[in-house]
């Protein structure tokens, strides 16, 4: 947004910033990405986001009278310079006002213990870059934690159901992208992680998926997993306990059903054809 586009009145800009500040989480160090997203949203609503991309206006060089200039030439130089000086004064005042608002907004969303470790900067752009560099390490650590959670995640049943389990994994994966585009998980990889998180009762289901050339997106994965869980529940008398005494439990004849046999290629039941 250009400076000319940041045309909201002073009162409106302050109102929008004050309205948005309550929605910005206090920056603690482990929540930098969410904090920055909310901060940027506040700046956009207040129409002061242009100051992040616009450097402070540079004062035009004052005219200097040359020894060869007569009075008429000198007066002309001053007249030519006057509009540039006025334009600079107006732009600089506007820039300083927006910069001051943004700086105050930022400082009111940072934990006091962290504030003292952030060096003062003349512009909000420099200040945000300083904050970003300080929390890069924390961001990488958090990304590593997210990846570890995804890889070690296991579905153990319970009252939440398999749909919520898969949605939770999908949300964990979605948190990686804002940190680093290189960390974005492709849908196919996320589906494989979901399959790896399923208990042993789903082993045949997973084998059948791996043998089939069709690839699923996360919505199809949810639908098919819910369908398979319903089938397993029906086979087991309406309920399943995936974990007992922290050990995986397998189906036996006494479980009102026997383990599913692997389906021969092309002979899967209709409800499990992928």
């Amino acid at each position: 947004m250009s400076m000319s586009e940041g045309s909201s009145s002073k009162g409106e800009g302050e109102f929008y910033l004050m309205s948005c500040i309550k929605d910005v989480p206090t920056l603690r160090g482990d929540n930098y990405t969410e904090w920055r997203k909310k901060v940027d949203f506040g700046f956009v609503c207040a129409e002061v986001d242009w100051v992040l991309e616009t450097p402070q206006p540079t004062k035009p060089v004052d005219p200097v009278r040359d020894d060869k200039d007569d009075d008429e030439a000198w007066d002309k130089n001053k007249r030519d310079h006057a509009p540039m000086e006025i334009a600079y004064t107006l732009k600089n005042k506007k820039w300083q006002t927006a910069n001051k608002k943004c700086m105050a907004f930022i400082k009111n969303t940072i934990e006091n213990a962290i504030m003292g470790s952030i060096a003062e900067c003349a512009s909000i752009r420099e200040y945000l870059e300083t904050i970003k560099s300080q929390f890069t390490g924390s961001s990488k650590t958090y990304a590593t934690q997210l990846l570890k959670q995804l890889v070690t995640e296991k579905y153990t049943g319970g009252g939440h159901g398999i749909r919520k389990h898969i949605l939770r994994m999908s949300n964990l994966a979605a948190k990686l992208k804002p940190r680093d585009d290189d960390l974005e998980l492709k849908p196919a990889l996320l589906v494989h992680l979901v399959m790896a998180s399923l208990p042993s009762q789903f082993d045949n289901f997973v084998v059948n998926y791996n043998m089939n050339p069709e690839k699923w997106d996360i919505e199809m994965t949810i639908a098919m997993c819910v369908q398979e869980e319903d089938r397993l529940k029906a086979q087991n008398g309406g309920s399943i306990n995936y974990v007992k005494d922290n050990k995986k439990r397998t189906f036996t004849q006494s479980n009102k059903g026997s383990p599913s046999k692997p389906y021969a290629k092309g002979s899967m039941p209709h409800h499990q054809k992928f």
Side-chain angles (χ1 to χ4, degrees):
M1 182 182 291
S2 67
M3 292 182 69
S4 61
E5 290 174 309
S7 57
S8 64
S9 69
K10 178 179 179 181
E12 288 175 338
E14 291 176 352
F15 171 77
Y16 281 123
L17 280 180
M18 289 177 65
S19 298
C20 292
I21 199 169
K22 66 180 184 296
D23 297 322
V24 179
T26 300
L27 178 61
R28 299 183 306 273
D30 60 345
N31 62 337
Y32 169 78
T33 300
E34 180 66 18
W35 172 83
R36 180 59 192 268
K37 183 171 69 174
K38 295 290 187 180
V39 164
D40 287 340
F41 179 71
F43 289 168
V44 170
C45 288
E47 296 186 12
V48 292
D49 54 309
W50 56 267
V51 80
L52 299 179
E53 304 297 332
T54 306
Q56 184 171 10
T58 303
K59 190 179 188 307
V61 178
D62 292 331
V64 177
R65 184 167 184 171
D66 191 272
D67 293 339
K68 298 179 181 178
D69 289 342
D70 55 21
D71 289 343
E72 184 178 350
W74 173 237
D75 288 341
K76 182 179 184 305
N77 284 342
K78 290 193 292 184
R79 287 195 302 271
D80 291 342
H81 177 75
M84 292 188 291
E85 185 71 29
I86 293 172
Y88 158 75
T89 300
L90 293 174
K91 287 183 178 181
N92 190 50
K93 183 177 180 180
K94 188 174 185 178
W95 185 92
Q96 287 183 325
T97 299
N99 188 66
K100 184 178 180 180
K101 287 180 181 179
C102 292
M103 196 71 77
F105 182 86
I106 288 292
K107 290 184 176 182
N108 276 280
T109 62
I110 302 176
E111 202 170 61
N112 289 334
I114 295 175
M115 273 286 295
S117 64
I118 304 173
E120 289 293 333
C121 299
S123 73
I124 187 62
R125 180 178 181 177
E126 291 175 300
Y127 197 62
L128 285 172
E129 285 298 321
T130 300
I131 295 172
K132 180 181 178 180
S133 64
Q134 180 164 328
F135 291 106
T136 297
S138 297
S139 181
K140 288 180 179 178
T141 299
Y142 185 54
T144 300
Q145 292 172 345
L146 289 175
L147 285 170
K148 185 176 180 180
Q149 276 185 271
L150 278 167
V151 172
T152 59
E153 191 77 15
K154 296 296 178 184
Y155 178 52
T156 57
H160 298 300
I162 199 165
R163 182 188 302 275
K164 287 189 177 180
H165 166 72
I166 299 174
L167 287 174
R168 180 174 181 275
M169 292 187 70
S170 181
N171 288 334
L172 286 172
K175 290 179 181 179
L176 289 168
K177 182 172 172 54
R179 298 176 179 279
D180 189 337
D181 286 339
D182 293 335
L183 291 176
E184 181 184 5
L185 289 183
K186 301 297 183 184
L189 178 56
L190 178 56
V191 170
H192 280 295
L193 288 174
V194 168
M195 294 296 177
S197 75
L198 300 178
S200 59
Q201 288 85 350
F202 285 79
D203 284 352
N204 291 329
F205 173 79
V206 174
V207 168
N208 289 324
Y209 170 74
N210 290 335
M211 291 175 60
N212 196 285
E214 182 183 355
K215 292 184 179 180
W216 295 349
D217 58 17
I218 201 66
E219 288 78 15
M220 176 63 77
T221 302
I222 291 173
M224 297 303 292
C225 285
V226 168
Q227 187 171 317
E228 174 65 5
E229 184 167 58
D230 288 343
R231 187 189 70 81
L232 289 172
K233 285 180 179 178
Q235 175 182 293
N236 195 43
S239 64
I240 312 174
N241 289 320
Y242 296 120
V243 175
K244 183 178 181 182
D245 299 328
N246 294 323
K247 295 180 181 179
K248 287 187 177 179
R249 184 180 172 193
T250 56
F251 284 95
T252 63
Q253 291 290 340
S254 61
N255 290 141
K256 298 182 181 180
S258 59
S260 304
K261 295 181 180 180
Y263 301 112
K265 191 172 182 180
S267 63
M268 292 180 64
H270 178 73
H271 74 277
Q272 282 206 10
K273 288 185 179 180
F274 301 158

